Amino acid sequence: MNRQKCEVLSAKRWGVYHSITLVAPEIAEEARPGQFVQVAMPPGRDFLLRRPFSIHQASRTGGWAGTLEIAFTAVGPGTEWLTTVEAHDSLDVVGPLGRPFPLPRAPTNCLLIGGGYGAAPLYFLGQDLRAKGSRVDMIVGAKTQERVFKPVEAKRLSVSVSTTTEDGSLGERGNVTDVLPGMMARCESKVVYACGPNGMLRAVAEYCSEQGIPSQVAVEELMACGMGVCWTCVVPVVHRDGRGWSYERSCYEGPVFSGARVWWEKWLGGRSTPVQTPPEGFRLEEMTAEGVGTWPPG
Amino acid sequence: MNRQKCEVLSAKRWGVYHSITLVAPEIAEEARPGQFVQVAMPPGRDFLLRRPFSIHQASRTGGWAGTLEIAFTAVGPGTEWLTTVEAHDSLDVVGPLGRPFPLPRAPTNCLLIGGGYGAAPLYFLGQDLRAKGSRVDMIVGAKTQERVFKPVEAKRLSVSVSTTTEDGSLGERGNVTDVLPGMMARCESKVVYACGPNGMLRAVAEYCSEQGIPSQVAVEELMACGMGVCWTCVVPVVHRDGRGWSYERSCYEGPVFSGARVWWEKWLGGRSTPVQTPPEGFRLEEMTAEGVGTWPPG
Amino acid sequence: MAARVSLRTNLAGIQLPTPVLAASGTFGSGRELAGMVDLREVGGIVTKSVTPRPVKGMPTPRMAETPSGMLNAIGLQNPGVEAFVEKDGPFIEQAGVPVIVSIAGRSVQEFAEVAVMVSKIRGVVGIEANISCPNVERRGEVFARDPVAAADVLSTVTRMTHLPVLAKLTADVTDIVEVAQAVVRAGAHGLSLINTLLGMAIDVDAFRPRLGGVTGGLSGPAIRAVAVRCVYEVSQALPDVPIIGIGGVVDARSAVEFLLAGATAVAVGTANYFDPHATVEIARGIGEFLAAKGMSTPEDLRGRLVTPSRPQEPVYLGG
Amino acid sequence: MAARVSLRTNLAGIQLPTPVLAASGTFGSGRELAGMVDLREVGGIVTKSVTPRPVKGMPTPRMAETPSGMLNAIGLQNPGVEAFVEKDGPFIEQAGVPVIVSIAGRSVQEFAEVAVMVSKIRGVVGIEANISCPNVERRGEVFARDPVAAADVLSTVTRMTHLPVLAKLTADVTDIVEVAQAVVRAGAHGLSLINTLLGMAIDVDAFRPRLGGVTGGLSGPAIRAVAVRCVYEVSQALPDVPIIGIGGVVDARSAVEFLLAGATAVAVGTANYFDPHATVEIARGIGEFLAAKGMSTPEDLRGRLVTPSRPQEPVYLGG
Ligand SMILES: Cc1cc2nc3c(=O)[nH]c(=O)nc-3n(C[C@H](O)[C@H](O)[C@H](O)COP(=O)(O)OP(=O)(O)OC[C@H]3O[C@@H](n4cnc5c(N)ncnc54)[C@H](O)[C@@H]3O)c2cc1C
Ligand SMILES: Cc1cc2nc3c(=O)[nH]c(=O)nc-3n(C[C@H](O)[C@H](O)[C@H](O)COP(=O)(O)OP(=O)(O)OC[C@H]3O[C@@H](n4cnc5c(N)ncnc54)[C@H](O)[C@@H]3O)c2cc1C
Ligand SMILES: Cc1cc2nc3c(=O)[nH]c(=O)nc-3n(C[C@H](O)[C@H](O)[C@H](O)COP(=O)(O)O)c2cc1C
Ligand SMILES: Cc1cc2nc3c(=O)[nH]c(=O)nc-3n(C[C@H](O)[C@H](O)[C@H](O)COP(=O)(O)O)c2cc1C
Ligand code: FES
Ligand code: FES
């Protein structure tokens, strides 16, 4: 966890998405896929809190070494303001924050599922997975065509890509879960990673649990601090022994949780099924053994 | 009193001063020297209230007809923001507000005294006075040379000008009150108009009262509304019969008050002299007869 | 199919064209603004509080801006009820907008005096008793902070007038529901919630309070969450009592918060200062909001708040 | 000639390197932030409140941003005092920063239990009793809203520990001075003023409260004026009682407001979230402020507030 005044290297826009690349050597150095940063808002506004953004790219080596990219859509005053940021401006950034996606110990077939801007961290993840020899397939979904996040790059990264839009303007009409069973079968996926709207994560996680496939999902809950000290961002998570649950901090124990251990009904409402024990085939130890490094710190 | 979305025609800067010229036909049409406008701040800030600015110029005829100019220095978040306003931006302005400087019924010798940005409304006043045949002399004072407001224009407008700065960087070293007796004698001034820091106004008003010369001063007090409804902006003013006083609204009964009727001690503190009856030679009726039009409305 | 929206509102028997009033002390009696704001579009005006005799008010500075709000210490400056009846009476009669007169006093007797006088003004549709005043008969203790003193004022005022009477309460109490119940039992026809919160700001360079009155009233969006909570608490306890929600209303969405919390109408205070058309624009915005939701009157919003079933045991809510 | 400035502060016998602490619930016990903030530069840490047994806390959403502030409803989630002693105890012992443990309970007995346990942790320099908790023995009435219940907690806790005990009060009361006097009489060595204000916000599209807990605590600059007023009122009444001023401290100037109002120290809450170095930077800023004024310690600011002589008669302060 570092705090840096970061110079904006570039601010770009494609469709509804904006992206900002920052000079942030200390943060980029430590960043792992699935982690996020907290960006400070300007003074004098009537809103105070930092805004959280997934790390879309962090370059540790090469020409872009020491840079960090976030991608976002404008939905409220904070993100509206971010759209006005320009190259050479300075942003106050804290990061990298949270538990990253755990990487499989040995190469395997990984299915990456992104909804809307939720796809942002998956490219960073996909690169790491491929570098370690895993096979990467992707499902990229969104409401409409212009909200599909970087479909071309998805193609470049993955063995196969399935795209869905709710209105059918690109790829299949429907939700990522409509194509999930087919993709999982075709790609012989052994692990699912997902990021996107919480409802989508739930559907993905529940399907994976049924299939006995481990899923790792990056959730979103309202965050005041992002650093583990305020306890606003919690998600109800079932204990490993399946015999109880606690509210865990999505900024600290998360944002990446095992999809099988999130108690979705408690969190998002809807039908109230009893607390589930982790499904058979759940291999958390294996999953967390590598790539997580010193996480959680201390 | 009107409220208009006004296009910014130009935003200029000279020294520490900024000026904004607005397309504001309805306000400009009604505006009289000494009145002010209330400028709305942008949404989403942690400060809400409009900021008051004297009308520096209002062009009712000619090439600039329908425009209004304000001049200001950046002292806090509101004025800082105003320095970022550019041509073609739009400002939400309410005006003209308050009681203007009353003009003498018949042409006479007028001494105009401005301190800092307080000189801003005096050029507008001077033009009106000259147009009605009065003689205009000016004292323009400020802390330092770069804070002397438009000394060249003062020369153009007046028969004689005296400039003072506290550090002596331009004109006489000292305060406007140091040169006031000399100027008043030399120019045979019959009326004094003043705008500037409240302490300066007090000194001017008290000297004028001693000399039996009427003074009209434009005061400044913290304003929440500027439209006469909140009663935050009051100044203690002695009744005409000299037998009592009330808090009068500087945005409504003021900002221009007869210097002899402001109870300075009560307002600004310091030695507590008894309430003074208006000095001999106080000719309020005469002063208010012309130029004030329908003021106060209703 | 868009529903036909009507903003007309019945507040304790007072007919209002819209549920958006101007709060006491922030719109005068409408006279100053009449040239700029079309008063027929304003839901109602609650006048600046009037006392039996003229009040000079507090020394300056009388206001200080604070984050998303402001402090004021006017000290109830007003010309006294006689001058009010004389100067504002004729205006009110023909203003074309429902006018509720806010009255204040330093004893129950003073409230009674003013109530009688202002009830004679034609065009006045109601009285708001501003009981956030110090009670000189009880060592300056504010009426609204004592259920008994508050009830005393309301039982007297309601007997002195044929008009509906609203009690304006303060949130600076341990239990606002207790005060609300007391004044309603005493005869109040409705409640105005809330007055400003008692606050203070200091000029750290001058080593002085930023207000001449040392402490003052905090208003604006900064206090909205407290005001919404008060309206919610009181309307849960007294669901049949009409409430004007007040505190940080600046746009249609903030107004709807109060209606959902249980208010029948809202009053706009501080926002009038920076947006003199706020009452008009907010009413329009509420109309659009209702239309978008397929609702037809502001009344449709009352009681529509969906709250999770609360746990049985008391829970800590402070952090 | 610049005075030599020392920020060292004695708070009820607790020695602090600076008068700027982190407020309870906004800094954990320092563990999470230790890698980023040099804790030796923090004046002190008040831990998140600890209860006898683990508390799961409130359902989400647990926070809502409001104008210049935020609402939270965490519901005192904590692992219970045993886990706290085990996990945070060793950290606290070597943290290099004075740690005050905030304790909470739902009965006097529960407060006593926690007080005994945490007093054993080496490195703990004081206890803050967070009495803004519902008292299950009195229908959930919050301790801090009842001078008698508040005093009960403090007289018990002070007997159970050798450490200095601060009572943290809420401003949601009719008379905060009365509560302050009660807890000081009961033995409190100092006061923390204030906890969050009870508030509520509504999602007008979903027709739901924005907090899972329905109501929650309002914090941030929005409440600063209320907090400064409370500190001023209490310190006028109890000039010898050390006070931590809390509520909307975001920079050195807002901290100095509290010191001038009568506080001995300040605690930073919400500001830690957006500025994790706030405690450090504010302390530095106070040092610069003192130097600029030719003062040498924060203590020099206490009692330096110049107030106008107040009028004899009670005056209206609400508008
Ligand atoms: C771990 C994490 C990673 C995220 N990554 C991205 C990303 O890569 N790209 C992207 O576009 N957005 C991302 N978001 C969502 C993003 O943080 C919000 O869109 C943003 O905070 C909205 O701020 P605002 O002021 O524009 O909107 P407002 O809605 O006005 O924000 C009000 C408050 O709600 C919070 N908030 C609003 N929406 C969300 C949300 N969906 N999740 C959490 N808090 C929210 C804000 O932080 C703020 O405190 C992420 C959220 C989290 C928690
Ligand atoms: C009738 C009148 C005419 C004015 N004309 C001019 C002018 O022509 N040029 C110019 O530069 N300034 C003028 N001022 C002062 C100007 O209004 C303030 O400088 C400005 O409001 C400061 O806002 P801020 O946010 O930058 O500063 P801040 O100090 O942060 O303002 C905080 C609050 O204090 C008020 N305030 C601050 N300073 C003053 C002040 N001197 N007088 C009244 N209110 C103040 C602000 O309006 C705001 O509500 C005038 C003031 C009044 C009352
Ligand atoms: C400058 C000012 C003067 C006020 N005067 C009065 C008053 O005379 N009587 C009264 O009952 N309330 C008075 N109020 C309180 C408002 O009516 C309202 O209750 C409060 O400002 C909260 O609403 P807001 O946040 O929309 O401003 C005054 C408020 C302000 C800001
Ligand atoms: C998310 C959150 C959690 C809090 N938890 C506690 C707590 O556990 N115990 C406590 O006494 N105060 C708690 N507080 C209150 C703060 O300590 C502080 O009194 C309040 O936030 C006002 O200060 P601020 O405006 O600087 O935030 C909490 C505040 C917040 C915002
Ligand atoms: S956002 Fe504060 S603990 Fe997670
Ligand atoms: S500023 Fe509101 S009455 Fe003058």
Side-chain angles (χ1 to χ4, degrees):
Chain A
M1 206 193 293
N2 302 279
R3 180 191 192 179
Q4 276 195 279
K5 297 261 176 219
C6 304
E7 193 190 332
V8 174
L9 198 64
S10 69
K12 283 172 285 190
R13 180 180 179 152
W14 69 93
V16 301
Y17 291 104
H18 297 255
S19 100
I20 293 178
T21 303
L22 296 160
V23 182
E26 293 167 32
I27 301 173
E29 176 63 36
E30 287 179 23
R32 301 284 175 275
Q35 292 187 300
F36 65 98
V37 294
Q38 282 269 72
V39 180
M41 295 290 108
R45 304 290 160 141
D46 62 2
F47 51 99
L48 306 166
L49 301 173
R50 287 170 186 261
R51 268 46 182 166
F53 299 96
S54 299
I55 296 170
H56 174 44
Q57 287 293 352
S59 302
R60 285 159 285 190
T61 54
W64 297 110
T67 67
L68 195 80
E69 186 179 0
I70 60 171
F72 59 96
T73 52
V75 297
T79 46
E80 289 290 354
W81 172 75
L82 272 179
T83 65
T84 68
V85 163
E86 294 171 3
H88 307 305
D89 287 353
S90 169
L91 290 182
D92 174 349
V93 180
V94 172
L97 296 163
R99 174 183 179 260
F101 286 113
L103 304 187
R105 183 193 295 262
T108 186
N109 294 357
C110 303
L111 180 59
L112 279 50
I113 308 178
Y117 64 76
L122 298 183
Y123 300 86
F124 185 21
L125 172 66
Q127 289 155 11
D128 269 21
L129 288 170
R130 277 184 47 171
K132 306 238 169 185
S134 281
R135 169 186 163 135
V136 170
D137 301 280
M138 280 184 98
I139 307 179
V140 187
K143 279 226 172 80
T144 57
Q145 174 171 13
E146 72 266 20
R147 296 192 164 268
V148 177
F149 193 91
K150 294 197 172 173
V152 178
E153 252 133 290
K155 290 226 169 72
R156 217 165 21 215
L157 194 67
S158 341
V159 175
S160 71
V161 177
S162 174
T163 308
T164 65
T165 51
E166 287 179 24
D167 64 353
S169 51
L170 190 73
E172 311 266 317
R173 176 197 296 268
N175 295 312
V176 296
T177 37
D178 297 331
V179 301
L180 176 58
M183 275 293 276
M184 230 156 94
R186 254 198 319 283
C187 309
E188 296 179 25
S189 314
K190 296 288 180 285
V191 178
V192 170
Y193 294 95
C195 184
N198 291 325
M200 178 201 105
L201 299 184
R202 176 185 190 164
V204 168
E206 287 177 343
Y207 181 76
C208 289
S209 291
E210 280 166 28
Q211 301 297 313
I213 294 280
S215 64
Q216 292 285 331
V217 299
V219 304
E220 264 184 25
E221 186 47 84
L222 292 178
M223 291 182 176
C225 76
M227 306 177 293
V229 295
C230 75
W231 295 86
T232 62
C233 63
V234 298
V235 172
V237 174
V238 177
H239 293 162
R240 280 189 198 182
D241 61 9
R243 290 181 184 282
W245 65 279
S246 324
Y247 279 121
E248 298 198 355
R249 293 164 292 186
S250 65
C251 72
Y252 206 74
E253 282 83 31
V256 176
F257 290 104
S258 159
R261 284 183 54 216
V262 173
W263 185 7
W264 300 98
E265 290 79 11
K266 171 90 187 156
W267 185 32
L268 305 177
R271 74 205 143 90
S272 183
T273 58
V275 177
Q276 292 172 352
T277 53
E280 299 297 345
F282 179 74
R283 286 161 302 182
L284 190 92
E285 300 320 316
E286 187 181 320
M287 295 282 301
T288 51
E290 192 168 353
V292 186
T294 58
W295 195 260
Chain B
M1 208 194 291
N2 303 279
R3 181 193 191 175
Q4 277 195 278
K5 297 257 177 223
C6 304
E7 193 191 331
V8 174
L9 198 65
S10 69
K12 283 170 290 191
R13 181 180 177 152
W14 69 92
V16 301
Y17 291 103
H18 297 255
S19 100
I20 293 178
T21 303
L22 298 160
V23 182
E26 293 167 33
I27 301 172
E29 176 64 35
E30 287 179 23
R32 300 282 175 275
Q35 292 188 301
F36 65 99
V37 294
Q38 280 271 72
V39 179
M41 295 292 107
R45 304 291 161 140
D46 63 0
F47 51 99
L48 306 166
L49 301 173
R50 289 172 183 260
R51 269 42 182 168
F53 298 96
S54 299
I55 297 171
H56 173 44
Q57 286 295 349
S59 301
R60 284 160 285 190
T61 55
W64 298 108
T67 66
L68 196 78
E69 187 180 358
I70 60 171
F72 59 95
T73 52
V75 296
T79 45
E80 289 290 354
W81 172 77
L82 271 179
T83 65
T84 67
V85 164
E86 295 172 0
H88 308 304
D89 287 354
S90 170
L91 290 182
D92 174 349
V93 181
V94 172
L97 295 163
R99 173 180 179 263
F101 286 112
L103 305 188
R105 184 194 292 263
T108 186
N109 295 357
C110 303
L111 180 60
L112 280 51
I113 308 177
Y117 63 76
L122 299 183
Y123 300 86
F124 186 21
L125 172 67
Q127 288 154 12
D128 270 20
L129 288 170
R130 276 183 46 168
K132 305 239 172 185
S134 280
R135 169 184 164 136
V136 170
D137 300 280
M138 282 183 96
I139 307 177
V140 188
K143 278 226 174 80
T144 57
Q145 174 171 13
E146 72 266 21
R147 298 195 161 263
V148 177
F149 193 91
K150 295 197 171 173
V152 178
E153 252 134 290
K155 290 227 168 71
R156 216 163 25 214
L157 193 68
S158 340
V159 175
S160 70
V161 178
S162 175
T163 309
T164 65
T165 51
E166 288 180 22
D167 64 353
S169 50
L170 190 72
E172 311 265 318
R173 175 197 296 269
N175 295 311
V176 296
T177 36
D178 296 332
V179 300
L180 176 58
M183 274 294 275
M184 230 157 93
R186 255 197 319 282
C187 310
E188 295 180 25
S189 313
K190 297 287 180 290
V191 179
V192 169
Y193 295 95
C195 184
N198 292 325
M200 177 200 105
L201 299 184
R202 176 185 191 165
V204 169
E206 288 177 342
Y207 182 75
C208 289
S209 291
E210 280 166 27
Q211 302 297 312
I213 296 280
S215 65
Q216 291 285 331
V217 298
V219 303
E220 264 183 27
E221 186 47 82
L222 292 179
M223 292 182 175
C225 76
M227 306 177 295
V229 295
C230 75
W231 294 86
T232 61
C233 62
V234 298
V235 172
V237 174
V238 177
H239 294 161
R240 278 187 201 185
D241 62 9
R243 288 179 187 282
W245 65 279
S246 323
Y247 278 121
E248 298 198 356
R249 293 165 292 187
S250 65
C251 73
Y252 206 76
E253 282 83 31
V256 176
F257 291 105
S258 161
R261 284 182 56 215
V262 173
W263 186 7
W264 299 99
E265 289 78 12
K266 171 95 186 152
W267 186 32
L268 304 179
R271 77 205 137 92
S272 181
T273 58
V275 177
Q276 292 173 350
T277 53
E280 296 300 341
F282 179 75
R283 284 160 304 178
L284 190 93
E285 299 319 313
E286 188 182 321
M287 295 283 300
T288 51
E290 192 170 352
V292 186
T294 59
W295 195 262
Chain C
M1 204 196 66
R4 248 258 203 58
V5 174
S6 162
L7 292 177
R8 252 172 287 154
T9 298
N10 177 335
L11 175 87
I14 304 170
Q15 302 301 324
L16 305 173
T18 87
V20 188
L21 298 93
S24 177
T26 66
F27 214 79
S29 59
R31 208 149 43 92
E32 285 86 352
L33 299 174
M36 183 163 59
V37 180
D38 185 349
L39 297 185
R40 289 163 310 178
E41 296 184 58
V42 176
I45 296 171
V46 186
T47 68
K48 172 128 197 74
S49 299
V50 189
T51 56
R53 273 157 290 283
V55 174
K56 283 209 185 302
M58 291 298 234
T60 57
R62 285 183 171 184
M63 83 102 175
E65 253 185 325
T66 60
S68 295
M70 61 174 277
L71 284 166
N72 85 81
I74 311 297
L76 278 190
Q77 173 167 1
N78 80 96
V81 71
E82 269 178 49
F84 177 82
V85 170
E86 195 182 303
K87 277 209 284 189
D88 291 273
F91 171 79
I92 291 171
E93 281 187 29
Q94 54 75 59
V97 50
V99 173
I100 295 171
V101 177
S102 169
I103 65 170
R106 297 169 310 159
S107 65
V108 174
Q109 174 56 29
E110 286 200 359
F111 273 97
E113 273 178 53
V114 194
V116 170
M117 296 276 288
V118 302
S119 300
K120 293 180 189 150
I121 302 174
R122 275 214 313 231
V124 170
V125 296
I127 287 180
E128 181 176 273
N130 171 7
I131 55 175
S132 296
C133 305
N135 180 351
V136 285
E137 288 162 359
R138 292 211 196 177
R139 306 180 319 284
E141 187 47 63
V142 170
F143 289 98
R145 286 178 151 187
D146 174 358
V148 177
D152 279 355
V153 172
L154 268 295
S155 65
T156 301
V157 170
T158 47
R159 270 188 284 116
M160 292 294 160
T161 181
H162 59 289
L163 296 169
V165 180
L166 304 160
K168 183 160 183 185
L169 305 187
T170 174
D172 290 326
V173 290
T174 304
D175 186 357
I176 196 166
V177 171
E178 187 191 1
V179 185
Q181 283 166 333
V183 295
V184 167
R185 246 183 274 119
H189 305 96
L191 301 167
S192 297
L193 304 175
I194 58 176
N195 213 316
T196 53
L197 301 182
L198 194 59
M200 178 173 176
I202 294 174
D203 178 335
V204 298
D205 288 315
F207 291 1
R208 280 177 190 279
R210 284 172 62 198
L211 294 175
V214 182
T215 58
L218 183 65
S219 65
I223 69 165
R224 189 192 305 143
V226 173
V228 170
R229 183 264 299 176
C230 289
V231 168
Y232 176 73
E233 280 185 354
V234 171
S235 88
Q236 292 289 306
L238 299 165
D240 299 327
V241 177
I243 296 172
I244 306 182
I246 314 172
V249 175
V250 297
D251 54 20
R253 296 177 77 83
S254 46
V256 171
E257 281 198 66
F258 282 93
L259 299 176
L260 284 167
T264 297
V266 297
V268 176
T270 306
N272 292 311
Y273 300 154
F274 55 88
D275 179 5
H277 296 91
T279 48
V280 178
E281 280 157 16
I282 293 171
R284 193 172 302 141
I286 292 174
E288 286 162 12
F289 181 90
L290 292 171
K293 302 278 176 198
M295 294 177 155
S296 54
T297 75
E299 191 62 23
D300 294 348
L301 291 166
R302 286 195 68 199
R304 280 294 299 274
L305 189 71
V306 183
T307 48
S309 47
R310 295 293 284 273
Q312 300 296 312
E313 257 192 275
V315 287
Y316 177 79
L317 299 170
Chain D
M1 207 196 67
R4 248 259 203 53
V5 174
S6 162
L7 292 177
R8 252 172 287 155
T9 298
N10 177 335
L11 176 84
I14 305 170
Q15 301 302 325
L16 305 172
T18 87
V20 188
L21 298 94
S24 176
T26 65
F27 215 79
S29 59
R31 208 150 41 92
E32 286 86 353
L33 300 175
M36 184 163 58
V37 179
D38 185 349
L39 298 185
R40 289 165 308 177
E41 296 186 57
V42 176
I45 295 173
V46 186
T47 68
K48 171 125 197 77
S49 299
V50 189
T51 57
R53 274 156 290 283
V55 174
K56 284 212 183 301
M58 292 297 235
T60 57
R62 285 182 171 185
M63 84 103 174
E65 251 185 324
T66 60
S68 296
M70 61 173 278
L71 283 167
N72 84 81
I74 310 297
L76 276 189
Q77 173 167 2
N78 80 96
V81 70
E82 270 178 48
F84 177 82
V85 170
E86 194 183 304
K87 276 208 286 189
D88 291 274
F91 172 80
I92 290 171
E93 281 187 29
Q94 54 73 59
V97 51
V99 174
I100 295 172
V101 177
S102 169
I103 65 170
R106 298 169 311 159
S107 65
V108 173
Q109 175 56 28
E110 287 199 358
F111 273 97
E113 274 179 51
V114 195
V116 169
M117 296 274 291
V118 302
S119 299
K120 294 179 191 151
I121 302 173
R122 271 215 315 226
V124 171
V125 296
I127 287 182
E128 182 176 272
N130 171 7
I131 54 175
S132 296
C133 304
N135 179 352
V136 286
E137 288 163 359
R138 292 209 197 178
R139 307 180 318 285
E141 186 49 62
V142 170
F143 289 97
R145 285 178 152 188
D146 174 356
V148 176
D152 279 357
V153 174
L154 269 295
S155 64
T156 303
V157 170
T158 46
R159 266 186 289 117
M160 292 294 158
T161 181
H162 59 287
L163 296 169
V165 180
L166 303 160
K168 185 159 181 188
L169 305 187
T170 172
D172 290 328
V173 290
T174 303
D175 186 357
I176 195 165
V177 171
E178 188 191 1
V179 186
Q181 283 166 334
V183 295
V184 168
R185 245 183 276 119
H189 305 96
L191 301 168
S192 296
L193 304 176
I194 57 177
N195 214 314
T196 54
L197 300 182
L198 193 60
M200 175 175 180
I202 293 174
D203 178 335
V204 298
D205 289 316
F207 290 0
R208 279 178 191 279
R210 286 173 60 197
L211 294 175
V214 182
T215 55
L218 182 65
S219 64
I223 70 165
R224 188 192 307 144
V226 173
V228 170
R229 184 263 301 173
C230 290
V231 169
Y232 177 73
E233 279 185 355
V234 171
S235 88
Q236 291 288 306
L238 298 165
D240 299 327
V241 177
I243 296 172
I244 306 182
I246 313 171
V249 175
V250 297
D251 54 19
R253 296 176 77 81
S254 45
V256 171
E257 280 197 67
F258 282 93
L259 299 177
L260 284 168
T264 297
V266 297
V268 176
T270 305
N272 291 312
Y273 300 154
F274 54 88
D275 179 5
H277 296 89
T279 48
V280 179
E281 280 157 17
I282 292 171
R284 192 170 304 141
I286 293 174
E288 285 162 11
F289 181 91
L290 292 171
K293 302 279 177 198
M295 294 175 154
S296 54
T297 75
E299 190 63 22
D300 294 348
L301 290 164
R302 285 195 70 200
R304 281 295 299 274
L305 189 70
V306 183
T307 48
S309 45
R310 294 293 283 273
Q312 299 297 309
E313 258 192 276
V315 287
Y316 177 79
L317 300 170

